[in-house]
Amino acid sequence: MRRILTTLMILLVVVVAGLSALVLLVNPNDFRAYMVRQVEVRSGYELKLEGPLRWHVWPQLSILSGRMSLTAPGASVPLVSADNMRLDVALIPLLSHQLQVEQVMLKGAVIQLTPQSEAVRQENAPVAPRENTLPDVPEDAGWSFDIGSLKVADSVLVFQHEGDEQVTVRNINLQMDQDKRHLATVDFTGRINRNQRDMNLAMKANVNASDYPHQLTADIQSLNWKLTGADLPAQGISGQGSLQAIWREEQKLLALNQLNLQANDSDLKGNASVVLGEEPKWVIDLQFGKLNLESLLPPQPVAAAEGSPAQQGQSQPKQTRPVISSSIDQPDYNGLRGFTADISLKADAVRWRGIDFSAVSSQMENRSGLLTISDLSGKMGNGSLSLPGVVDVRKDNVRTTFQPRLDNVEIGTILKAFNYPIALTGNLSLAGDFSGNKVDAEAFRRDWQGQAHVELTNTRMEGLNFQQLVQQAVERSSSNVKANENYDSATRLDSFTTDLSLDRGQLTLDNMQGQSALLALTGEGTMDLVKETTDTRFNVRVLSGWEGEGKLVEFLKETPIPLSVFGKWQALNYSLQVDQLLRKHLQEEAKRRLNDWADKNKDSQNGKDVKKLLEKL
């Protein structure tokens, strides 16, 4: 044991003595000019090192520098700047007069990927042919320069595409290690804070830079994020996934392949690519196993009718992002003008506003502000729906048109989803054509226009039983007729059709026709979608449930009875004109009987007098 300890002490003394001698004999400032020259020769970038270089021997032999910057040719601001830099170097190559940098560490760095930091090609400069940019080591060079590892700690990345706003990534921690074939492993964490939103990002990837800058490939094996803040669900959006990213410099093409991402309880797979230029060109093909928009979008506010008080205990409105002053005067959906796109989306299941859809499919294309939705279809319960349309934002006034087609869709679910307090259920079929500006439920209530033909089957309207209203009114006005007891508080119809037109919140219903075994009706009316009021007029024939005098019952079955329904949707009023109808019927019946008696007694003076009287009536 004593010999082992003695040997270790001797080795330690030799190492310390060697390092001390190296520090005394080799001046790190001798490498300054060489490093600056090699960076410029091999990349064209200008490296600046401020202050003297100095050794740091424990726990890793390193060269420390003061403030440094790396600037592209012709750029107005540095691509990378840092308050200090550490170069971890290999000991053995120093003995043979070689500088082998095993790791570069930057702390407190600012990395700027902006138009101002990009290289500027000189006018009339020759275009170099495509060539291999891998560093070649000259056989007789006095020094060699090689970096195998890069570490960035507590730094900031500023990214900006030309014409767009800046995006700042803070708290960056990056560890990248590459081999001689320029195959690298990357471990990255960072945080983006923008517009009252906070996103934490972590990524592990394998990067192939063997053909950089012509092509760069990254296999992102682990990607984790969490997004919280304004205009987001209370729990935020978190997820993980993997993908392959490829950048091709000559085509300015970024391809995202083998996408496999999860966000909250939603997931997607597919591919996407974009060619970056003055007008980016996107091609997107995504498939969702499940897309739950309720967990990805903030809760929808409940639209209150005009003049109605706020509900007690109503939660405070959720914090929203501040309006950016530079975009106040920008028209809605202005971002569609800046790119073209071909988009294909499919989803096995979608949940939105409490509605469950299945087999959803969409085909869209955007041409610099003209968004054409050629297909947007899916199934809803036992029914199906299609919603093709066009959104045109090429001018300041946004123009939106849609041609909805619904087949056998439950109308009660739709009314509930969009906060319409109408107690109506049934299977809805609709074919229409609508136009407006913003694609928004509140804008549809107030500003849209259009027409549609509506068919409803197996409908039930809670709160008013038309059959019961008519029969009870008849019972009160006539003792000759009674109605069967009916405790149902709803109006049921086997079929109902109408033509509707919408004009900025005013919904007009024409040619209403309804039929069931108990009653038949026709009518017309209007509804105010903003004030949530209605004014409708029906002619109702009750076909069943009568007891009493046969002729009067037959008269009631065949005679439409006027019924008006009006007022607030949640407190409807009605008006019936039964008394006038029965009085007229009695008058007609009396006239008929007197006329029959006069005909039988036409030769008598009384008969003649009755005839004269009837002619005057």
Side-chain angles (χ1 to χ4, degrees):
M1 179 61 69
R2 183 179 299 175
R3 291 181 179 181
I4 295 175
L5 292 176
T6 302
T7 303
L8 292 176
M9 290 300 296
I10 293 173
L11 290 175
L12 180 61
V13 170
V14 171
V15 170
V16 172
L19 290 175
S20 302
L22 183 63
V23 170
L24 293 174
L25 297 176
V26 179
N27 185 355
N29 290 282
D30 294 341
F31 305 139
R32 179 194 297 270
Y34 172 76
M35 288 189 293
V36 170
R37 185 173 65 254
Q38 287 297 312
V39 168
E40 183 176 5
V41 169
R42 301 191 182 199
S43 66
Y45 284 71
E46 179 185 7
L47 175 65
K48 287 185 178 180
L49 300 173
E50 299 179 6
L53 303 181
R54 59 192 187 277
W55 285 112
H56 182 76
V57 298
W58 188 262
Q60 166 70 41
L61 182 61
S62 306
I63 298 176
L64 303 181
S65 77
R67 184 169 182 80
M68 61 81 61
S69 64
L70 186 66
T71 307
S76 58
V77 298
L79 175 68
V80 181
S81 59
D83 292 335
N84 56 73
M85 177 177 67
R86 191 185 79 193
L87 305 177
D88 295 338
V89 301
L91 174 61
I92 301 302
L94 286 175
L95 303 178
S96 58
H97 211 57
Q98 291 182 343
L99 176 64
Q100 180 177 332
V101 180
E102 295 183 339
Q103 176 173 271
V104 176
M105 179 177 178
L106 303 176
K107 188 169 184 179
V110 177
I111 306 167
Q112 300 188 74
L113 301 178
T114 65
Q116 292 76 23
S117 66
E118 292 181 354
V120 178
R121 192 170 73 90
Q122 295 182 359
E123 200 173 324
N124 301 324
V127 179
R130 186 180 188 276
E131 60 183 359
N132 187 4
T133 59
L134 295 179
D136 297 323
V137 180
E139 295 180 355
D140 53 354
W143 300 95
S144 65
F145 184 66
D146 187 19
I147 300 175
S149 180
L150 172 65
K151 185 175 182 179
V152 179
D154 301 330
S155 299
V156 175
L157 168 66
V158 179
F159 174 80
Q160 182 185 25
H161 186 62
E162 188 170 359
D164 295 336
E165 297 181 18
Q166 285 188 354
V167 177
T168 303
V169 186
R170 305 181 185 278
N171 300 341
I172 289 179
N173 289 280
L174 171 68
Q175 178 69 52
M176 184 178 72
D177 300 291
Q178 67 172 343
D179 58 19
K180 294 181 179 180
R181 296 176 298 171
H182 291 265
L183 302 178
T185 60
V186 177
D187 192 343
F188 170 88
T189 61
R191 180 177 64 86
I192 303 174
N193 185 279
R194 187 182 181 205
N195 293 347
Q196 292 188 340
R197 290 181 175 180
D198 193 85
M199 182 175 184
N200 290 288
L201 185 67
M203 178 185 69
K204 293 183 179 180
N206 293 325
V207 178
N208 185 348
S210 59
D211 198 20
Y212 180 81
H214 305 290
Q215 178 169 308
L216 184 66
T217 302
D219 289 317
I220 301 175
Q221 300 172 334
S222 175
L223 179 65
N224 295 274
W225 70 88
K226 185 169 185 179
L227 181 62
T228 58
D231 282 352
L232 291 171
Q235 74 278 12
I237 301 175
S238 60
Q240 59 280 330
S242 62
L243 66 136
Q244 181 190 68
I246 301 175
W247 170 255
R248 293 187 176 94
E249 174 64 26
E250 280 75 15
Q251 298 86 10
K252 300 297 182 182
L253 171 67
L254 175 64
L256 305 176
N257 302 325
Q258 303 173 23
L259 285 167
N260 187 0
L261 305 176
Q262 293 82 40
N264 290 351
D265 56 347
S266 301
D267 62 272
L268 73 86
K269 296 181 180 179
N271 303 285
S273 64
V274 57
V275 177
L276 298 178
E278 292 185 4
E279 187 177 73
K281 298 179 180 179
W282 285 89
V283 177
I284 299 174
D285 183 8
L286 301 177
Q287 301 86 42
F288 296 86
K290 179 181 179 181
L291 178 58
N292 186 358
L293 295 174
E294 292 185 349
S295 67
L296 299 177
L297 301 176
Q300 294 291 334
V302 177
E306 289 187 355
S308 62
Q311 297 180 358
Q312 293 184 356
Q314 186 176 9
S315 60
Q316 294 295 324
K318 183 176 176 62
Q319 182 186 23
T320 57
R321 290 180 295 166
V323 178
I324 301 174
S325 59
S326 60
S327 64
I328 289 178
D329 298 328
Q330 296 296 326
D332 294 320
Y333 316 116
N334 184 61
L336 291 173
R337 296 181 180 180
F339 68 95
T340 65
D342 292 293
I343 304 171
S344 174
L345 304 176
K346 294 184 182 297
D348 296 334
V350 176
R351 183 170 179 81
W352 177 61
R353 288 180 172 263
I355 307 176
D356 291 313
F357 302 91
S358 61
V360 176
S361 174
S362 178
Q363 293 287 335
M364 296 179 284
E365 64 176 30
N366 178 47
R367 296 294 178 263
S368 305
L370 180 61
L371 176 64
T372 302
I373 306 173
S374 57
D375 174 41
L376 179 56
S377 59
K379 295 181 179 180
M380 176 181 165
N382 296 323
S384 62
L385 71 162
S386 175
L387 198 65
V390 174
V391 180
D392 190 350
V393 299
R394 292 174 295 180
K395 298 180 180 179
D396 291 342
N397 294 326
V398 179
R399 183 66 177 172
T400 302
T401 59
F402 281 93
Q403 297 81 40
R405 300 291 184 270
L406 283 70
D407 183 23
N408 201 34
V409 170
E410 173 55 53
I411 187 173
T413 304
I414 297 176
L415 294 174
K416 181 180 179 181
F418 290 95
N419 306 316
Y420 287 103
I422 302 176
L424 177 66
T425 59
N427 298 323
L428 168 68
S429 296
L430 178 147
D433 192 343
F434 295 92
S435 62
N437 43 27
K438 294 180 64 176
V439 184
D440 177 80
E442 188 61 23
F444 182 85
R445 292 177 189 253
R446 298 177 179 274
D447 302 323
W448 280 55
Q449 298 172 305
Q451 299 82 34
H453 178 72
V454 175
E455 296 181 3
L456 284 164
T457 59
N458 301 321
T459 61
R460 178 184 173 94
M461 187 177 70
E462 300 289 346
L464 285 178
N465 186 328
F466 286 5
Q467 176 198 7
Q468 188 181 65
L469 293 177
V470 171
Q471 289 181 330
Q472 288 178 349
V474 170
E475 280 187 314
R476 289 192 297 267
S477 301
S478 174
S479 60
N480 297 325
V481 176
K482 291 185 178 181
N484 295 333
E485 290 185 354
N486 186 352
Y487 300 103
D488 196 348
S489 62
T491 299
R492 295 174 179 268
L493 292 173
D494 296 332
S495 64
F496 177 84
T497 62
T498 185
D499 295 317
L500 65 83
S501 60
L502 176 65
D503 186 10
R504 304 183 187 278
Q506 297 298 316
L507 185 68
T508 302
L509 304 173
D510 295 318
N511 303 320
M512 288 192 288
Q513 296 184 13
Q515 185 76 35
S516 73
L518 299 178
L519 58 86
L521 61 82
T522 60
E524 61 183 14
T526 60
M527 303 178 73
D528 191 319
L529 302 185
V530 178
K531 297 180 180 179
E532 297 185 352
T533 60
T534 187
D535 183 8
T536 52
R537 296 161 299 283
F538 298 97
N539 292 313
V540 182
R541 290 190 299 123
V542 178
L543 307 177
S544 179
W546 297 106
E547 294 180 359
E549 185 180 333
K551 290 185 178 181
L552 182 55
V553 168
E554 290 302 319
F555 169 78
L556 292 171
K557 288 182 179 180
E558 296 174 359
T559 304
I561 298 177
L563 170 64
S564 297
V565 179
F566 55 92
K568 291 284 187 179
W569 293 347
Q570 293 178 306
L572 291 174
N573 302 305
Y574 71 93
S575 173
L576 273 169
Q577 300 177 13
V578 174
D579 293 341
Q580 300 91 323
L581 190 68
L582 290 177
R583 187 180 304 114
K584 183 178 179 181
H585 171 69
L586 291 175
Q587 290 174 350
E588 294 293 334
E589 183 65 20
K591 289 173 61 176
R592 184 187 63 80
R593 292 185 180 186
L594 287 173
N595 191 59
D596 291 343
W597 182 86
D599 288 340
K600 291 179 181 180
N601 300 277
K602 59 183 179 179
D603 296 332
S604 66
Q605 184 61 39
N606 290 335
K608 294 178 180 179
D609 293 340
V610 169
K611 272 286 186 180
K612 292 180 181 180
L613 179 62
L614 290 174
E615 290 174 357
K616 294 180 181 180
L617 294 177

